[in-house]
Amino acid sequence: MKKYAYIGTLGFLAIITTEFGIIGILPQIGEHYQIGIDKAGHLLGAFALAIALTGPFMTLFLSGFDRKKVMMIAIFIFLLTGIVSSFSPPFWLLMLVRILPAFLQPVYIATALSVAVSQGNKRNENELMSIVFSGVAIAMVTTVPFATYIANIFSWEYSFIVQAIISIVALLAIHFVLPAMPVRAKKSYGSQLKILRKPMFIVSTLMNFFMIAAWFSTYSYFADYLNKAKDMDGTMVSYMLFVFGIIGVFANWTAGKLLNKNITHTTVFFLSGTIIVPILLHFSGGNTMATILVIVLWGFLYSPSFLNASTYMISSAPEAMEFANSLATSFGNLGVTLGTTVGGLIIVSKGVQFTPWITVLFGMLAFFMIGLRSRLEKKPA
């Protein structure tokens, strides 16, 4: 029953390694191309923006295609990105090949989640989704810090070689393990688009948007923040990414269990980190041990953010799960773009040490949206 969910995890591992593996090497890329850290951050922001703008449309368009083929094509594009990027092409080409796989990332995620839950029942749906989403945490504990570590030993190009290898493994797993999965009964576009008129879904979407923006206004510049605000070198940053990921694996498992009991309470619990973590980062000062402890808490509360956001949104529109999921991915990545952009502006104008306070601001907006949805739920139909 869980086999398909674990296959989805492998693909997620390849996707997240490609999308977020760049976080640990942004300073090196900026130095190589002789650009500021804020401009290097566009490699993350542009990727996320492409997802946000095209994800739902691509998911709708491909909703009638064989799910196995869709997943394979998506991972193949990620593989090409890793290969081309490893040759340190001109910055414009690096940006282009970063954006290309973004068109199919939401499609892969929505399809993988749909495939995973199709083998279970309603009671363990969120648990199966958490298995797929655990690819995020596993990437943070394995491939992302490893890619950063390799980049610090050799050069940043080797980080993309790691990404390509992970994509090959995922591609082979999908090809040999998953059977053909043609869509038997395709839902009409109109029936799926109806959810866009639901106030509760709109509010849930905004919660997702602000929550992800909150986390990524600081997390996008994780390496730069720890280097300049906490005086950690590149090797120490890779260790911190490793710690971040280890605790994240446990956090995703915990979130999956808690979501089965109460979606809203679980989302609120993990969202509280957008307020708590920045305050603790501020008071940890230059104390390395205190900072490490805060990073452990940061990893625990941040890691299930995409799982929580997707589940929270889907719960308001269960009748169009795949489309709702693609919108969750798109608006989550739009949140990544907003957080990365605002964080970059703050770094240029004030300094990287001020980015956590942007996390607090966006976190408060996300809490407001949860409160607004709660009021809508109490209104008589």
Side-chain angles (χ1 to χ4, degrees):
M1 181 175 67
K2 295 181 178 180
K3 179 172 68 174
Y4 292 174
Y6 288 118
I7 293 298
T9 302
L10 259 180
F12 228 126
L13 186 65
I15 284 173
I16 296 304
T17 305
T18 300
E19 182 172 7
F20 298 137
I22 201 164
I23 288 173
I25 61 172
L26 280 180
Q28 291 184 45
I29 289 177
E31 184 179 347
H32 177 85
Y33 289 102
Q34 297 184 325
I35 56 177
I37 189 70
D38 56 321
K39 288 185 173 63
H42 292 334
L43 290 168
L44 181 63
F47 185 100
L49 184 60
I51 291 172
L53 296 178
T54 65
F57 305 107
M58 293 296 293
T59 303
L60 276 176
F61 175 69
L62 295 173
S63 60
F65 288 76
D66 185 294
R67 289 168 174 171
K68 176 180 178 178
K69 291 179 180 177
V70 168
M71 291 170 71
M72 287 191 66
I73 291 170
I75 298 301
F76 180 72
I77 299 298
F78 274 88
L79 170 60
L80 287 180
T81 294
I83 292 172
V84 175
S85 299
S86 69
F87 287 100
S88 60
F91 188 74
W92 67 267
L93 182 55
L94 181 64
M95 179 73 77
L96 178 62
V97 296
R98 280 281 299 172
I99 291 173
L100 285 178
F103 292 104
L104 288 177
Q105 195 214 48
V107 179
Y108 176 87
I109 294 173
T111 305
L113 290 170
S114 179
V115 167
V117 301
S118 70
Q119 301 301 304
N121 54 57
K122 194 68 180 174
R123 285 177 302 172
N124 68 348
E125 194 173 87
N126 292 327
E127 186 177 352
L128 290 170
M129 288 175 60
S130 73
I131 291 174
V132 178
F133 271 105
S134 68
V136 178
I138 293 171
M140 296 304 179
V141 73
T142 56
T143 53
V144 170
F146 180 68
T148 303
Y149 179 72
I150 291 297
N152 278 293
I153 292 178
F154 300 105
S155 67
W156 63 269
E157 292 91 342
Y158 284 85
S159 174
F160 290 104
I161 293 176
V162 173
Q163 296 170 23
I165 292 171
I166 301 302
S167 295
I168 290 173
V169 173
L171 192 62
L172 292 173
I174 294 168
H175 176 70
F176 287 110
V177 178
L178 288 186
M181 292 184 166
V183 176
R184 304 297 180 188
K186 181 183 175 182
K187 294 179 181 178
S188 68
Y189 294 151
S191 66
Q192 297 180 74
L193 289 168
K194 278 183 184 178
I195 65 173
L196 298 177
R197 297 200 298 267
K198 295 178 65 174
M200 197 183 300
F201 183 74
I202 294 170
V203 170
S204 301
T205 300
L206 289 172
M207 193 291 300
N208 174 5
F209 174 61
F210 288 128
M211 178 174 73
I212 302 301
W215 284 120
F216 276 85
S217 56
T218 301
Y219 179 65
S220 295
Y221 302 99
F222 189 85
D224 200 46
Y225 178 80
L226 293 184
N227 178 250
K228 294 178 181 175
K230 300 299 181 181
D231 202 28
M232 294 183 180
D233 60 21
T235 302
M236 189 64 175
V237 169
S238 68
Y239 291 152
M240 290 303 96
L241 283 168
F242 181 73
V243 169
F244 204 86
I246 280 191
I247 198 69
V249 174
F250 174 69
N252 268 276
W253 178 84
T254 303
K257 296 291 186 182
L258 293 176
L259 286 167
N260 278 333
K261 296 179 179 179
N262 191 296
I263 292 173
T264 301
H265 291 171
T266 302
T267 304
V268 167
F269 171 72
F270 285 97
L271 179 61
S272 67
T274 60
I275 311 297
I276 297 170
V277 170
I279 292 172
L280 293 179
L281 282 172
H282 174 74
F283 284 106
S284 67
N287 188 316
T288 301
M289 184 53 65
T291 300
I292 291 172
L293 292 175
V294 177
I295 288 171
V296 169
L297 180 64
W298 186 358
F300 182 80
L301 295 174
Y302 154 79
S303 293
S305 57
F306 286 103
L307 170 62
N308 291 332
S310 292
T311 307
Y312 191 75
M313 281 182 65
I314 292 168
S315 68
S316 66
E319 68 274 19
M321 178 184 169
E322 286 188 35
F323 184 50
N325 230 310
S326 70
L327 284 167
T329 303
S330 289
F331 275 89
N333 277 275
L334 192 59
V336 172
T337 302
L338 178 64
T340 301
T341 302
V342 175
L345 291 173
I346 290 297
I347 289 172
V348 171
S349 60
K350 300 290 184 181
V352 72
Q353 68 272 20
F354 289 97
T355 55
W357 301 117
I358 305 301
T359 296
V360 174
L361 175 62
F362 285 132
M364 291 174 67
L365 289 171
F367 271 114
F368 177 75
M369 293 303 157
I370 289 178
L372 191 55
R373 172 171 163 174
S374 181
R375 290 189 62 183
L376 289 171
E377 287 174 331
K378 291 176 182 177
K379 282 187 177 181

